[in-house]
């Protein structure tokens, strides 16, 4: 990948992440939040980043049907994570 493109993608993703986290940081200032933008496989990156975590919270899409559907990132967290994992549905 072109270096300039990856820098731009990273910068845009970091801005979007900060915007998304802002209301939660204001609502729960006592919770430590670690921001990280990496251009790699999300399942591997998440499991590695959570190695020393006390709890890993991942979301899952809200789907209608007889059983909840877990995506590949949530499944990787559950099967390979070293800490408790909370899977939270979101709309």
């Amino acid at each position: 990948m072109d270096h300039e493109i990856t820098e731009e993608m990273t910068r845009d993703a970091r801005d979007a992440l900060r915007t998304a986290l802002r209301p939660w940081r204001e609502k729960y200032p006592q919770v430590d939040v670690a921001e990280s933008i990496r251009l790699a496989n999300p399942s591997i990156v998440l499991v590695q980043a959570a190695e020393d975590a006390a709890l890993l919270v991942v979301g899952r899409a809200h789907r209608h049907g007889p059983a909840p559907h877990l995506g590949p990132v949530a499944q990787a967290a559950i099967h390979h994570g070293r800490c408790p994992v909370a899977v939270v549905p979101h709309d």
Side-chain angles (χ1 to χ4, degrees):
M1 230 184 220
D2 184 274
H3 182 67
E4 289 181 24
I5 293 172
T6 58
E7 282 186 8
E8 183 179 344
M9 289 171 61
T10 302
R11 185 175 46 254
D12 292 347
R14 186 170 287 116
D15 291 344
L17 179 59
R18 285 187 182 138
T19 299
L21 291 175
R22 186 175 298 120
W24 297 106
R25 284 189 161 144
E26 291 170 359
K27 187 171 183 177
Y28 301 102
Q30 72 279 12
V31 175
D32 291 328
V33 177
E35 289 180 23
S36 179
I37 302 294
R38 299 182 194 172
L39 301 177
N41 181 306
S43 299
I44 293 170
V45 169
L46 184 65
V47 169
Q48 289 174 346
E51 283 184 352
D52 296 325
L55 174 67
L56 173 59
V57 180
V58 296
R60 71 164 177 83
H62 182 76
R63 297 206 175 136
H64 301 287
H69 173 77
L70 296 179
V73 175
Q75 284 194 11
I78 291 168
H79 293 291
H80 303 290
R82 296 180 183 226
C83 66
V85 178
V87 180
V88 181
H90 58 83
D91 295 328

